[in-house]
Amino acid sequence: MKLKITVLFIAFISTLSIAQTKTGTINSDYIINIMPEAKIVIKKTQEYGTKLDSSFSIKMKEFQDKVADYKEKEKEMGDLMKKTVLKELSGLEQNINQYQANGKKLMQLKQNELMRPLYKKLSDAIKVVVKENGYTHILTVAGNEFAYVDEKYDITKLVMAKLGVKEPEVKE
């Protein structure tokens, strides 16, 4: 019985040692940033941000006008009126802060929505390159710090070619 288990164990280990893995790397952020569609995403995101900024500017202007009006009429107001106006101004300020926080979240959501098709396109190209070249693992180099990565296993340029994206020329 021990002999059978030993033989099976040795066969299993030898099978594992025969199975080779091929690991590659990719700089996906670099590819995304040079894709022509990225410029469109940036433009659309900026346009959306401009719309949000204009609404914010209107709210801010109203708040500043009310503060200026309060400062101008403060000496003529009674204590109850001052408290009422200050409470209103405090509420407006909270609304502005909330609007600003929501604006940041909306900008992030809009950017994610616009970037989703680019990441899908990149992912599909990576899958094709991986299958064509027999890779078993792909690691992204952006944001990770590897002690050493052999550039011959970097598929960044293969994926760029699959996407039809050209590397920008370096101007000296």
Side-chain angles (χ1 to χ4, degrees), residues 21-94:
T21 62
K22 186 174 178 183
T23 303
T25 61
I26 188 167
N27 189 340
S28 54
D29 288 345
Y30 174 73
I31 295 172
I32 288 289
N33 288 328
I34 64 171
M35 289 174 75
E37 298 94 329
K39 291 178 178 83
I40 296 167
V41 168
I42 291 169
K43 183 180 177 195
K44 286 183 178 181
T45 303
Q46 288 173 341
E47 289 170 356
Y48 185 71
T50 302
K51 287 179 188 175
L52 290 176
D53 284 346
S54 66
S55 298
F56 179 75
S57 295
I58 291 168
K59 288 185 178 291
M60 197 62 182
K61 176 78 170 112
E62 288 175 9
F63 175 73
Q64 289 170 343
D65 290 345
K66 288 189 179 193
V67 168
D69 186 51
Y70 169 75
K71 287 181 179 179
E72 186 179 304
K73 297 177 181 176
E74 179 181 14
K75 292 179 183 173
E76 302 165 6
M77 293 181 186
D79 286 342
L80 183 60
M81 185 66 167
K82 283 182 185 179
K83 285 182 182 179
T84 304
V85 173
L86 286 174
K87 188 175 181 179
E88 180 185 348
L89 290 174
S90 177
L92 286 172
E93 186 175 23
Q94 287 176 348

Side-chain angles (χ1 to χ4, degrees), residues 97-160:
N97 290 337
Q98 185 63 44
Y99 187 84
Q100 193 172 22
N102 289 343
K104 288 179 184 178
K105 290 176 187 172
L106 288 171
M107 280 293 293
Q108 187 63 46
L109 288 171
K110 185 68 169 181
Q111 185 174 16
N112 289 345
E113 173 191 330
L114 294 170
M115 290 296 287
R116 199 170 297 123
L118 273 69
Y119 283 112
K120 172 82 171 96
K121 187 175 179 181
L122 176 65
S123 178
D124 292 344
I126 290 171
K127 287 176 187 172
V128 170
V129 168
V130 163
K131 287 179 183 174
E132 288 176 352
N133 295 283
Y135 286 95
T136 57
H137 301 85
I138 299 296
L139 305 172
T140 181
V141 295
N144 295 318
E145 294 186 26
F146 296 105
Y148 174 77
V149 175
D150 191 341
E151 289 189 22
K152 72 180 180 182
Y153 297 111
D154 189 357
I155 66 166
T156 301
K157 291 186 179 176
L158 293 172
V159 172
M160 287 171 54

